[in-house]
């Protein structure tokens, strides 16, 4: 075998491993109600939800069946905007207080858009979850997010908004804690 054919073989093996990790992660979304986000985005892109997810996220997975760049992975994408000034204001135990600017909206955004949050814990990187007890409405500029009890490792939080009727979503904002 030539050096080029060996290189091509290694690249293909690398791509397959990335693809496998990405597919495993997408399958785990089934239990956390995020697939509708990707199915809606897929319709806008004229592809299915899986292909929309892969196009947006495959670069974030490594060849070891894990995530190599948590900051670039997306739980959500859509037509609603992520508010400016989004930040974690305070943490008390497993509860996070988040806030954002309320002074601007697009014609699609509404003050009634609901805060949502996905989370990945370092001890289970291919098991995305929805954060529990998430409260907050876009017009309020403040929300609360409850993480699981007894967090001993790092968490990766992805905050996004969903329209009141559940038909539209925003992109997400990443936080690491």
């Amino acid at each position: 075998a030539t050096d080029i054919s060996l290189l091509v073989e290694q690249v293909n093996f690398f791509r397959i491993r990335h693809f496998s990790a990405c597919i495993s992660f997408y399958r785990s979304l089934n239990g956390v109600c995020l697939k509708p986000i990707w199915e809606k985005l897929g319709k806008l892109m004229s592809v299915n939800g899986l292909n929309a997810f892969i196009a947006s996220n495959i670069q974030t997975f490594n060849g070891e069946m894990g995530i190599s760049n948590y900051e670039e992975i997306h739980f959500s994408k859509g037509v609603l905007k992520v508010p400016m000034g989004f930040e974690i204001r305070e943490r008390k135990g497993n509860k996070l207080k988040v806030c954002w600017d309320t002074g601007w909206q697009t014609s699609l955004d509404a003050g009634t858009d609901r805060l949502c949050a996905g989370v990945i814990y370092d001890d289970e990187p291919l098991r995305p979850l929805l954060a529990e007890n998430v409260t907050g409405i876009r017009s309020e500029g403040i929300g609360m997010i409850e993480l699981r009890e007894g967090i001993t490792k790092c968490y990766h939080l992805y905050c996004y908004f969903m329209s009141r009727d559940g038909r539209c979503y925003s992109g997400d904002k990443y936080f690491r804690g």
Side-chain angles (χ1 to χ4, degrees):
T2 66
D3 289 341
I4 301 235
S5 64
L6 287 174
L7 181 60
V8 168
E9 188 176 311
Q10 288 174 340
V11 167
N12 286 337
F13 178 75
F14 181 71
R15 285 183 182 157
I16 289 168
R17 298 284 299 222
H18 279 252
F19 186 74
S20 296
C22 192
I23 294 291
S24 292
F25 190 88
Y26 184 79
R27 284 185 181 146
S28 65
L29 295 178
N30 196 27
V32 293
C33 303
L34 293 175
K35 279 191 176 178
I37 295 171
W38 295 100
E39 289 167 359
K40 288 175 194 301
L41 183 62
K43 286 181 182 174
L44 293 173
M45 298 169 62
S46 298
V47 297
N48 65 32
L50 172 61
N51 287 338
F53 181 82
I54 289 170
S56 297
N57 290 301
I58 195 163
Q59 74 283 355
T60 65
F61 293 91
N62 62 34
E64 304 301 317
M65 291 299 287
I67 299 169
S68 59
N69 190 342
Y70 287 92
E71 194 169 342
E72 288 186 19
I73 200 164
H74 295 286
F75 264 61
S76 177
K77 281 191 170 185
V79 296
L80 303 179
K81 299 294 179 204
V82 177
M84 305 266 300
F86 215 131
E87 65 182 6
I88 295 176
R89 176 73 47 92
E90 181 180 333
R91 178 177 177 184
K92 288 185 180 177
N94 67 327
K95 293 180 176 66
L96 303 174
K97 182 179 184 180
V98 295
C99 61
W100 54 88
D101 295 340
T102 60
W104 67 280
Q105 293 180 7
T106 69
S107 60
L108 293 173
D109 304 328
T112 57
D113 294 344
R114 195 180 87 210
L115 176 65
C116 301
V119 64
I120 301 171
Y121 297 101
D122 269 0
D123 56 345
E124 297 181 285
L126 292 179
R127 188 172 170 243
L129 302 168
L130 288 180
E132 296 182 20
N133 300 321
V134 177
T135 61
I137 306 265
R138 186 185 291 267
S139 63
E140 295 172 348
I142 194 164
M144 295 295 291
I145 300 168
E146 188 174 324
L147 302 175
R148 75 177 181 203
E149 291 285 340
I151 299 169
T152 58
K153 298 216 178 215
C154 181
Y155 65 85
H156 306 274
L157 186 67
Y158 303 83
C159 296
Y160 60 97
F161 284 88
M162 177 178 66
S163 63
R164 191 160 104 182
D165 64 7
R167 295 173 63 194
C168 297
Y169 301 89
S170 72
D172 51 38
K173 173 71 176 165
Y174 171 77
F175 299 100
R176 180 179 178 180

